[in-house]
Amino acid sequence: MTKLIAFNKPYNVLTQFSDNDGRKALKDYIDIPDIYPAGRLDRDSEGLLLLTDDGQLQHHISDPRHKLSKTYWVQVENIPDAAALEQLQQGVMLKDGLTKPAKARLIDEPDLWERVPPVRFRQSIPTQWLELQISEGKNRQVRRMTAAVGHPTLRLIRAAIGPWQLNDLQPGQWGEVNFQTVIKYADDLDSKNHRSRRNKTRPAISDGRRNDRQRTQTQPASRPSRRRRKPD
């Protein structure tokens, strides 16, 4: 059967299983063979990371074309005003283009674990938490978006990917979740946003059979070709 693992990635941990420089990586927390991250989470970011042993499911979760939204809790410098929130909601011009409209709102400070090491605050500058929901995957997008509207990010936590949430997972903890949830989520999204294209074939979701694939820990799951990012 297909495995889908939800992991609360701690700060300063790489989203890969090994590192030649001895930095903390997924192997320090997860001892399950033949699973691979579905997407990335920067080394200096925290929160939800999904891992699976199924290449098609991995692609469905990580590819922005499938519009699985990602929800972030973002602590920023100063208090964003209505104009800054509106800019985030309408799209922010970055060096690599205009971001898609996002959902952005002010929130109370979430009930979170202490970060290790702690965030460096400037005592003379207040901070504010935002909830930001995007469906893209630009490099360090959230940090660049908040900086572009005048509010540098101090702490960044991914709270949800599509229908999956952090819930009670503490940093370094993981648990197996229901991979079938993505099918219902994709159907609901199709019904809401693509009514005129109901009869089109949806992206295939693997049934978990892996008879035609032989993988090892060092051989990555199948994924669309793209330029590789250097490790953080």
Side-chain angles (χ1 to χ4, degrees), residues 29-124:
Y29 300 90
I30 303 173
D31 186 20
I32 302 175
D34 299 331
I35 64 169
Y36 304 91
R40 290 182 56 87
L41 189 59
D42 291 323
R43 183 184 177 192
D44 54 355
S45 299
E46 308 162 73
L48 183 61
L49 179 68
L50 295 175
L51 304 97
T52 182
D53 60 351
D54 186 281
Q56 287 184 303
L57 181 58
Q58 180 192 43
H59 173 65
H60 190 91
I61 293 170
S62 59
D63 193 325
R65 288 178 297 178
H66 296 311
K67 302 184 185 302
L68 280 179
S69 61
K70 299 174 179 65
T71 302
Y72 296 87
W73 294 332
V74 193
Q75 187 179 26
V76 299
E77 285 191 346
N78 287 312
I79 313 239
D81 58 16
L85 290 176
E86 184 177 3
Q87 192 173 356
L88 292 170
Q89 292 163 354
Q90 293 182 350
V92 179
M93 180 57 70
L94 305 176
K95 288 184 178 180
D96 51 353
L98 183 69
T99 65
K100 293 181 180 179
K103 294 181 180 179
R105 65 187 183 100
L106 304 182
I107 60 172
D108 294 332
E109 181 177 356
D111 183 14
L112 296 171
W113 55 90
E114 294 292 329
R115 202 190 78 174
V116 179
V119 177
R120 293 182 179 180
F121 298 103
R122 291 191 283 180
Q123 293 184 349
S124 60

Side-chain angles (χ1 to χ4, degrees), residues 9-14 23-25 42-45 116-117:
K9 188 191 84 66
Y11 179 82
N12 212 28
V13 173
L14 294 172
R23 294 172 293 182
K24 285 189 176 181
D42 291 323
R43 183 184 177 192
D44 54 355
S45 299
V116 179

Side-chain angles (χ1 to χ4, degrees), residues 17 20 24 38 41 46 97 103 117 136 140 144 149 167 185 194 201 230:
F17 273 92
N20 294 332
K24 285 189 176 181
L41 189 59
E46 308 162 73
K103 294 181 180 179
E136 295 178 283
R140 299 181 71 80
R144 292 193 292 146
V149 299
N167 295 323
Y185 184 85
H194 305 281
T201 302
K230 296 180 179 179

